[in-house]
PDB file of all heavy atoms in Angstrom:
ATOM      1  N   ILE W1072     141.949-104.746 -29.351  1.00  0.00           N
ATOM      2  CA  ILE W1072     143.153-104.691 -30.179  1.00  0.00           C
ATOM      3  C   ILE W1072     144.335-105.314 -29.451  1.00  0.00           C
ATOM      4  O   ILE W1072     145.129-106.058 -30.040  1.00  0.00           O
ATOM      5  CB  ILE W1072     143.457-103.237 -30.574  1.00  0.00           C
ATOM      6  CG1 ILE W1072     142.401-102.721 -31.566  1.00  0.00           C
ATOM      7  CG2 ILE W1072     144.858-103.107 -31.168  1.00  0.00           C
ATOM      8  CD1 ILE W1072     142.489-101.229 -31.844  1.00  0.00           C
ATOM      9  N   GLU W1073     144.460-105.023 -28.177  1.00  0.00           N
ATOM     10  CA  GLU W1073     145.606-105.526 -27.416  1.00  0.00           C
ATOM     11  C   GLU W1073     145.495-107.014 -27.092  1.00  0.00           C
ATOM     12  O   GLU W1073     146.495-107.742 -27.146  1.00  0.00           O
ATOM     13  CB  GLU W1073     145.760-104.731 -26.109  1.00  0.00           C
ATOM     14  CG  GLU W1073     146.225-103.297 -26.302  1.00  0.00           C
ATOM     15  CD  GLU W1073     147.718-103.177 -26.611  1.00  0.00           C
ATOM     16  OE1 GLU W1073     148.274-104.046 -27.325  1.00  0.00           O
ATOM     17  OE2 GLU W1073     148.322-102.193 -26.144  1.00  0.00           O
ATOM     18  N   ASN W1074     144.290-107.474 -26.770  1.00  0.00           N
ATOM     19  CA  ASN W1074     144.153-108.816 -26.212  1.00  0.00           C
ATOM     20  C   ASN W1074     143.284-109.780 -27.003  1.00  0.00           C
ATOM     21  O   ASN W1074     143.316-110.989 -26.742  1.00  0.00           O
ATOM     22  CB  ASN W1074     143.585-108.726 -24.785  1.00  0.00           C
ATOM     23  CG  ASN W1074     144.422-107.833 -23.894  1.00  0.00           C
ATOM     24  OD1 ASN W1074     145.645-107.921 -23.897  1.00  0.00           O
ATOM     25  ND2 ASN W1074     143.778-106.964 -23.116  1.00  0.00           N
ATOM     26  N   GLY W1075     142.498-109.274 -27.954  1.00  0.00           N
ATOM     27  CA  GLY W1075     141.570-110.144 -28.664  1.00  0.00           C
ATOM     28  C   GLY W1075     142.275-111.059 -29.657  1.00  0.00           C
ATOM     29  O   GLY W1075     143.082-110.617 -30.467  1.00  0.00           O
ATOM     30  N   LYS W1076     141.969-112.343 -29.583  1.00  0.00           N
ATOM     31  CA  LYS W1076     142.508-113.290 -30.555  1.00  0.00           C
ATOM     32  C   LYS W1076     141.797-113.106 -31.890  1.00  0.00           C
ATOM     33  O   LYS W1076     140.707-112.530 -31.969  1.00  0.00           O
ATOM     34  CB  LYS W1076     142.316-114.721 -30.049  1.00  0.00           C
ATOM     35  CG  LYS W1076     143.087-115.030 -28.776  1.00  0.00           C
ATOM     36  CD  LYS W1076     142.858-116.469 -28.335  1.00  0.00           C
ATOM     37  CE  LYS W1076     143.637-116.782 -27.059  1.00  0.00           C
ATOM     38  NZ  LYS W1076     143.417-118.179 -26.602  1.00  0.00           N
ATOM     39  N   ASN W1077     142.413-113.575 -32.949  1.00  0.00           N
ATOM     40  CA  ASN W1077     141.783-113.500 -34.263  1.00  0.00           C
ATOM     41  C   ASN W1077     140.380-114.085 -34.203  1.00  0.00           C
ATOM     42  O   ASN W1077     140.165-115.183 -33.689  1.00  0.00           O
ATOM     43  CB  ASN W1077     142.624-114.285 -35.278  1.00  0.00           C
ATOM     44  CG  ASN W1077     141.996-114.308 -36.656  1.00  0.00           C
ATOM     45  OD1 ASN W1077     141.572-113.287 -37.172  1.00  0.00           O
ATOM     46  ND2 ASN W1077     141.913-115.492 -37.242  1.00  0.00           N
ATOM     47  N   GLY W1078     139.399-113.340 -34.718  1.00  0.00           N
ATOM     48  CA  GLY W1078     138.009-113.773 -34.693  1.00  0.00           C
ATOM     49  C   GLY W1078     137.249-113.378 -33.444  1.00  0.00           C
ATOM     50  O   GLY W1078     136.048-113.667 -33.333  1.00  0.00           O
ATOM     51  N   ALA W1079     137.905-112.684 -32.513  1.00  0.00           N
ATOM     52  CA  ALA W1079     137.245-112.328 -31.251  1.00  0.00           C
ATOM     53  C   ALA W1079     136.110-111.332 -31.481  1.00  0.00           C
ATOM     54  O   ALA W1079     136.188-110.452 -32.335  1.00  0.00           O
ATOM     55  CB  ALA W1079     138.252-111.741 -30.269  1.00  0.00           C
ATOM     56  N   ILE W1080     135.056-111.504 -30.692  1.00  0.00           N
ATOM     57  CA  ILE W1080     133.931-110.578 -30.659  1.00  0.00           C
ATOM     58  C   ILE W1080     133.802-110.071 -29.227  1.00  0.00           C
ATOM     59  O   ILE W1080     133.603-110.869 -28.304  1.00  0.00           O
ATOM     60  CB  ILE W1080     132.614-111.251 -31.085  1.00  0.00           C
ATOM     61  CG1 ILE W1080     132.727-111.843 -32.494  1.00  0.00           C
ATOM     62  CG2 ILE W1080     131.448-110.272 -31.000  1.00  0.00           C
ATOM     63  CD1 ILE W1080     131.541-112.719 -32.878  1.00  0.00           C
ATOM     64  N   PHE W1081     133.929-108.773 -29.033  1.00  0.00           N
ATOM     65  CA  PHE W1081     133.760-108.175 -27.714  1.00  0.00           C
ATOM     66  C   PHE W1081     132.446-107.404 -27.682  1.00  0.00           C
ATOM     67  O   PHE W1081     132.102-106.705 -28.642  1.00  0.00           O
ATOM     68  CB  PHE W1081     134.898-107.202 -27.386  1.00  0.00           C
ATOM     69  CG  PHE W1081     136.138-107.840 -26.824  1.00  0.00           C
ATOM     70  CD1 PHE W1081     136.406-109.187 -27.007  1.00  0.00           C
ATOM     71  CD2 PHE W1081     137.057-107.078 -26.121  1.00  0.00           C
ATOM     72  CE1 PHE W1081     137.557-109.768 -26.490  1.00  0.00           C
ATOM     73  CE2 PHE W1081     138.210-107.631 -25.596  1.00  0.00           C
ATOM     74  CZ  PHE W1081     138.466-108.977 -25.783  1.00  0.00           C
ATOM     75  N   VAL W1082     131.744-107.521 -26.570  1.00  0.00           N
ATOM     76  CA  VAL W1082     130.535-106.745 -26.310  1.00  0.00           C
ATOM     77  C   VAL W1082     130.855-105.679 -25.270  1.00  0.00           C
ATOM     78  O   VAL W1082     131.496-105.957 -24.251  1.00  0.00           O
ATOM     79  CB  VAL W1082     129.385-107.645 -25.810  1.00  0.00           C
ATOM     80  CG1 VAL W1082     128.200-106.800 -25.342  1.00  0.00           C
ATOM     81  CG2 VAL W1082     128.949-108.619 -26.896  1.00  0.00           C
ATOM     82  N   SER W1083     130.413-104.453 -25.552  1.00  0.00           N
ATOM     83  CA  SER W1083     130.563-103.352 -24.603  1.00  0.00           C
ATOM     84  C   SER W1083     129.199-102.715 -24.419  1.00  0.00           C
ATOM     85  O   SER W1083     128.693-102.028 -25.311  1.00  0.00           O
ATOM     86  CB  SER W1083     131.567-102.319 -25.142  1.00  0.00           C
ATOM     87  OG  SER W1083     131.612-101.169 -24.315  1.00  0.00           O
ATOM     88  N   GLU W1084     128.581-102.946 -23.258  1.00  0.00           N
ATOM     89  CA  GLU W1084     127.231-102.418 -23.042  1.00  0.00           C
ATOM     90  C   GLU W1084     127.017-102.062 -21.587  1.00  0.00           C
ATOM     91  O   GLU W1084     127.725-102.525 -20.693  1.00  0.00           O
ATOM     92  CB  GLU W1084     126.178-103.440 -23.487  1.00  0.00           C
ATOM     93  CG  GLU W1084     126.171-104.722 -22.689  1.00  0.00           C
ATOM     94  CD  GLU W1084     125.070-105.686 -23.110  1.00  0.00           C
ATOM     95  OE1 GLU W1084     124.227-105.308 -23.932  1.00  0.00           O
ATOM     96  OE2 GLU W1084     125.058-106.816 -22.592  1.00  0.00           O
ATOM     97  N   ASN W1085     126.010-101.209 -21.366  1.00  0.00           N
ATOM     98  CA  ASN W1085     125.549-100.848 -20.024  1.00  0.00           C
ATOM     99  C   ASN W1085     126.652-100.267 -19.144  1.00  0.00           C
ATOM    100  O   ASN W1085     126.600-100.372 -17.926  1.00  0.00           O
ATOM    101  CB  ASN W1085     124.915-102.053 -19.325  1.00  0.00           C
ATOM    102  CG  ASN W1085     123.747-102.625 -20.098  1.00  0.00           C
ATOM    103  OD1 ASN W1085     123.083-101.911 -20.842  1.00  0.00           O
ATOM    104  ND2 ASN W1085     123.504-103.915 -19.946  1.00  0.00           N
ATOM    105  N   ASN W1086     127.682 -99.679 -19.794  1.00  0.00           N
ATOM    106  CA  ASN W1086     128.765 -99.052 -19.042  1.00  0.00           C
ATOM    107  C   ASN W1086     129.518-100.044 -18.165  1.00  0.00           C
ATOM    108  O   ASN W1086     130.128 -99.669 -17.159  1.00  0.00           O
ATOM    109  CB  ASN W1086     128.233 -97.905 -18.174  1.00  0.00           C
ATOM    110  CG  ASN W1086     129.096 -96.671 -18.260  1.00  0.00           C
ATOM    111  OD1 ASN W1086     129.888 -96.508 -19.180  1.00  0.00           O
ATOM    112  ND2 ASN W1086     128.951 -95.784 -17.286  1.00  0.00           N
ATOM    113  N   GLN W1087     129.502-101.307 -18.556  1.00  0.00           N
ATOM    114  CA  GLN W1087     130.177-102.370 -17.812  1.00  0.00           C
ATOM    115  C   GLN W1087     131.440-102.796 -18.562  1.00  0.00           C
ATOM    116  O   GLN W1087     131.615-102.493 -19.749  1.00  0.00           O
ATOM    117  CB  GLN W1087     129.235-103.564 -17.647  1.00  0.00           C
ATOM    118  CG  GLN W1087     127.990-103.261 -16.836  1.00  0.00           C
ATOM    119  CD  GLN W1087     128.303-102.854 -15.414  1.00  0.00           C
ATOM    120  OE1 GLN W1087     129.045-103.542 -14.710  1.00  0.00           O
ATOM    121  NE2 GLN W1087     127.742-101.729 -14.992  1.00  0.00           N
ATOM    122  N   PRO W1088     132.350-103.530 -17.894  1.00  0.00           N
ATOM    123  CA  PRO W1088     133.549-104.016 -18.591  1.00  0.00           C
ATOM    124  C   PRO W1088     133.161-104.884 -19.789  1.00  0.00           C
ATOM    125  O   PRO W1088     132.152-105.583 -19.760  1.00  0.00           O
ATOM    126  CB  PRO W1088     134.273-104.841 -17.517  1.00  0.00           C
ATOM    127  CG  PRO W1088     133.796-104.270 -16.223  1.00  0.00           C
ATOM    128  CD  PRO W1088     132.363-103.871 -16.463  1.00  0.00           C
ATOM    129  N   PRO W1089     133.961-104.847 -20.852  1.00  0.00           N
ATOM    130  CA  PRO W1089     133.631-105.660 -22.031  1.00  0.00           C
ATOM    131  C   PRO W1089     133.780-107.147 -21.749  1.00  0.00           C
ATOM    132  O   PRO W1089     134.501-107.555 -20.840  1.00  0.00           O
ATOM    133  CB  PRO W1089     134.662-105.197 -23.067  1.00  0.00           C
ATOM    134  CG  PRO W1089     135.815-104.716 -22.253  1.00  0.00           C
ATOM    135  CD  PRO W1089     135.209-104.094 -21.018  1.00  0.00           C
ATOM    136  N   PHE W1090     133.074-107.936 -22.539  1.00  0.00           N
ATOM    137  CA  PHE W1090     133.228-109.390 -22.437  1.00  0.00           C
ATOM    138  C   PHE W1090     133.194-109.976 -23.840  1.00  0.00           C
ATOM    139  O   PHE W1090     132.643-109.389 -24.774  1.00  0.00           O
ATOM    140  CB  PHE W1090     132.136-110.009 -21.557  1.00  0.00           C
ATOM    141  CG  PHE W1090     130.720-109.739 -22.000  1.00  0.00           C
ATOM    142  CD1 PHE W1090     130.057-110.595 -22.875  1.00  0.00           C
ATOM    143  CD2 PHE W1090     130.035-108.619 -21.531  1.00  0.00           C
ATOM    144  CE1 PHE W1090     128.748-110.345 -23.285  1.00  0.00           C
ATOM    145  CE2 PHE W1090     128.732-108.361 -21.935  1.00  0.00           C
ATOM    146  CZ  PHE W1090     128.088-109.226 -22.812  1.00  0.00           C
ATOM    147  N   ALA W1091     133.813-111.138 -23.975  1.00  0.00           N
ATOM    148  CA  ALA W1091     133.877-111.810 -25.274  1.00  0.00           C
ATOM    149  C   ALA W1091     132.703-112.768 -25.419  1.00  0.00           C
ATOM    150  O   ALA W1091     132.203-113.322 -24.430  1.00  0.00           O
ATOM    151  CB  ALA W1091     135.191-112.570 -25.412  1.00  0.00           C
ATOM    152  N   VAL W1092     132.248-112.934 -26.659  1.00  0.00           N
ATOM    153  CA  VAL W1092     131.212-113.918 -26.956  1.00  0.00           C
ATOM    154  C   VAL W1092     131.679-114.763 -28.135  1.00  0.00           C
ATOM    155  O   VAL W1092     132.512-114.342 -28.939  1.00  0.00           O
ATOM    156  CB  VAL W1092     129.849-113.260 -27.300  1.00  0.00           C
ATOM    157  CG1 VAL W1092     129.316-112.478 -26.126  1.00  0.00           C
ATOM    158  CG2 VAL W1092     129.974-112.366 -28.528  1.00  0.00           C
ATOM    159  N   GLU W1093     131.148-115.974 -28.221  1.00  0.00           N
ATOM    160  CA  GLU W1093     131.431-116.855 -29.343  1.00  0.00           C
ATOM    161  C   GLU W1093     130.137-117.153 -30.079  1.00  0.00           C
ATOM    162  O   GLU W1093     129.111-117.416 -29.450  1.00  0.00           O
ATOM    163  CB  GLU W1093     132.072-118.158 -28.870  1.00  0.00           C
ATOM    164  CG  GLU W1093     133.480-118.000 -28.305  1.00  0.00           C
ATOM    165  CD  GLU W1093     134.104-119.336 -27.949  1.00  0.00           C
ATOM    166  OE1 GLU W1093     133.424-120.378 -28.107  1.00  0.00           O
ATOM    167  OE2 GLU W1093     135.277-119.343 -27.524  1.00  0.00           O
ATOM    168  N   VAL W1094     130.195-117.106 -31.399  1.00  0.00           N
ATOM    169  CA  VAL W1094     129.045-117.491 -32.210  1.00  0.00           C
ATOM    170  C   VAL W1094     129.078-119.006 -32.365  1.00  0.00           C
ATOM    171  O   VAL W1094     130.029-119.544 -32.943  1.00  0.00           O
ATOM    172  CB  VAL W1094     129.086-116.812 -33.594  1.00  0.00           C
ATOM    173  CG1 VAL W1094     127.906-117.273 -34.442  1.00  0.00           C
ATOM    174  CG2 VAL W1094     129.083-115.299 -33.441  1.00  0.00           C
ATOM    175  N   PRO W1095     128.088-119.716 -31.836  1.00  0.00           N
ATOM    176  CA  PRO W1095     128.138-121.178 -31.874  1.00  0.00           C
ATOM    177  C   PRO W1095     127.907-121.724 -33.277  1.00  0.00           C
ATOM    178  O   PRO W1095     127.273-121.089 -34.119  1.00  0.00           O
ATOM    179  CB  PRO W1095     126.993-121.587 -30.940  1.00  0.00           C
ATOM    180  CG  PRO W1095     126.034-120.449 -31.010  1.00  0.00           C
ATOM    181  CD  PRO W1095     126.868-119.207 -31.181  1.00  0.00           C
ATOM    182  N   SER W1096     128.426-122.901 -33.514  1.00  0.00           N
ATOM    183  CA  SER W1096     128.132-123.587 -34.770  1.00  0.00           C
ATOM    184  C   SER W1096     126.653-123.980 -34.795  1.00  0.00           C
ATOM    185  O   SER W1096     126.110-124.442 -33.795  1.00  0.00           O
ATOM    186  CB  SER W1096     128.991-124.844 -34.901  1.00  0.00           C
ATOM    187  OG  SER W1096     128.509-125.671 -35.944  1.00  0.00           O
ATOM    188  N   TYR W1097     126.030-123.763 -35.941  1.00  0.00           N
ATOM    189  CA  TYR W1097     124.596-124.094 -36.026  1.00  0.00           C
ATOM    190  C   TYR W1097     124.354-125.568 -35.731  1.00  0.00           C
ATOM    191  O   TYR W1097     123.276-125.948 -35.249  1.00  0.00           O
ATOM    192  CB  TYR W1097     124.067-123.742 -37.416  1.00  0.00           C
ATOM    193  CG  TYR W1097     124.547-124.637 -38.530  1.00  0.00           C
ATOM    194  CD1 TYR W1097     123.861-125.798 -38.869  1.00  0.00           C
ATOM    195  CD2 TYR W1097     125.708-124.335 -39.222  1.00  0.00           C
ATOM    196  CE1 TYR W1097     124.319-126.626 -39.875  1.00  0.00           C
ATOM    197  CE2 TYR W1097     126.160-125.153 -40.228  1.00  0.00           C
ATOM    198  CZ  TYR W1097     125.470-126.303 -40.568  1.00  0.00           C
ATOM    199  OH  TYR W1097     125.932-127.120 -41.546  1.00  0.00           O
ATOM    200  N   ALA W1098     125.348-126.419 -35.966  1.00  0.00           N
ATOM    201  CA  ALA W1098     125.168-127.854 -35.732  1.00  0.00           C
ATOM    202  C   ALA W1098     124.930-128.164 -34.253  1.00  0.00           C
ATOM    203  O   ALA W1098     124.312-129.188 -33.922  1.00  0.00           O
ATOM    204  CB  ALA W1098     126.374-128.639 -36.245  1.00  0.00           C
ATOM    205  N   THR W1099     125.438-127.287 -33.364  1.00  0.00           N
ATOM    206  CA  THR W1099     125.249-127.511 -31.926  1.00  0.00           C
ATOM    207  C   THR W1099     123.891-127.003 -31.455  1.00  0.00           C
ATOM    208  O   THR W1099     123.534-127.193 -30.287  1.00  0.00           O
ATOM    209  CB  THR W1099     126.338-126.794 -31.133  1.00  0.00           C
ATOM    210  OG1 THR W1099     126.190-125.365 -31.278  1.00  0.00           O
ATOM    211  CG2 THR W1099     127.729-127.196 -31.608  1.00  0.00           C
ATOM    212  N   LEU W1100     123.127-126.372 -32.341  1.00  0.00           N
ATOM    213  CA  LEU W1100     121.856-125.770 -31.968  1.00  0.00           C
ATOM    214  C   LEU W1100     120.662-126.537 -32.510  1.00  0.00           C
ATOM    215  O   LEU W1100     119.538-126.052 -32.488  1.00  0.00           O
ATOM    216  CB  LEU W1100     121.804-124.324 -32.490  1.00  0.00           C
ATOM    217  CG  LEU W1100     122.952-123.399 -32.056  1.00  0.00           C
ATOM    218  CD1 LEU W1100     122.835-122.059 -32.739  1.00  0.00           C
ATOM    219  CD2 LEU W1100     122.984-123.233 -30.540  1.00  0.00           C
ATOM    220  N   LYS W1101     120.901-127.755 -32.976  1.00  0.00           N
ATOM    221  CA  LYS W1101     119.836-128.531 -33.605  1.00  0.00           C
ATOM    222  C   LYS W1101     118.676-128.802 -32.649  1.00  0.00           C
ATOM    223  O   LYS W1101     118.883-129.198 -31.513  1.00  0.00           O
ATOM    224  CB  LYS W1101     120.379-129.860 -34.126  1.00  0.00           C
ATOM    225  CG  LYS W1101     121.182-129.758 -35.394  1.00  0.00           C
ATOM    226  CD  LYS W1101     121.377-131.110 -36.045  1.00  0.00           C
ATOM    227  CE  LYS W1101     122.170-132.050 -35.180  1.00  0.00           C
ATOM    228  NZ  LYS W1101     122.474-133.318 -35.880  1.00  0.00           N
ATOM    229  N   ILE W1102     117.492-128.560 -33.132  1.00  0.00           N
ATOM    230  CA  ILE W1102     116.273-128.863 -32.391  1.00  0.00           C
ATOM    231  C   ILE W1102     115.381-129.722 -33.296  1.00  0.00           C
ATOM    232  O   ILE W1102     115.072-129.322 -34.430  1.00  0.00           O
ATOM    233  CB  ILE W1102     115.516-127.574 -31.990  1.00  0.00           C
ATOM    234  CG1 ILE W1102     116.398-126.698 -31.090  1.00  0.00           C
ATOM    235  CG2 ILE W1102     114.208-127.910 -31.291  1.00  0.00           C
ATOM    236  CD1 ILE W1102     115.802-125.349 -30.793  1.00  0.00           C
ATOM    237  N   PRO W1103     114.982-130.890 -32.852  1.00  0.00           N
ATOM    238  CA  PRO W1103     114.112-131.731 -33.688  1.00  0.00           C
ATOM    239  C   PRO W1103     112.814-131.022 -34.039  1.00  0.00           C
ATOM    240  O   PRO W1103     112.270-130.290 -33.217  1.00  0.00           O
ATOM    241  CB  PRO W1103     113.856-132.963 -32.810  1.00  0.00           C
ATOM    242  CG  PRO W1103     115.007-132.984 -31.831  1.00  0.00           C
ATOM    243  CD  PRO W1103     115.326-131.552 -31.577  1.00  0.00           C
ATOM    244  N   VAL W1104     112.327-131.222 -35.227  1.00  0.00           N
ATOM    245  CA  VAL W1104     111.059-130.608 -35.649  1.00  0.00           C
ATOM    246  C   VAL W1104     110.059-131.697 -36.029  1.00  0.00           C
ATOM    247  O   VAL W1104     110.409-132.845 -36.273  1.00  0.00           O
ATOM    248  CB  VAL W1104     111.274-129.653 -36.846  1.00  0.00           C
ATOM    249  CG1 VAL W1104     112.159-128.506 -36.422  1.00  0.00           C
ATOM    250  CG2 VAL W1104     111.890-130.388 -38.033  1.00  0.00           C
TER     251      VAL W1104
END
């Protein structure tokens, strides 16, 4: 609430400090088939 920018996703796990993650655009994940 205090520090997260609009759209921020914070992970809080394993009793460790939280960290932010970004959901990548699917276009950057292209794998040839």
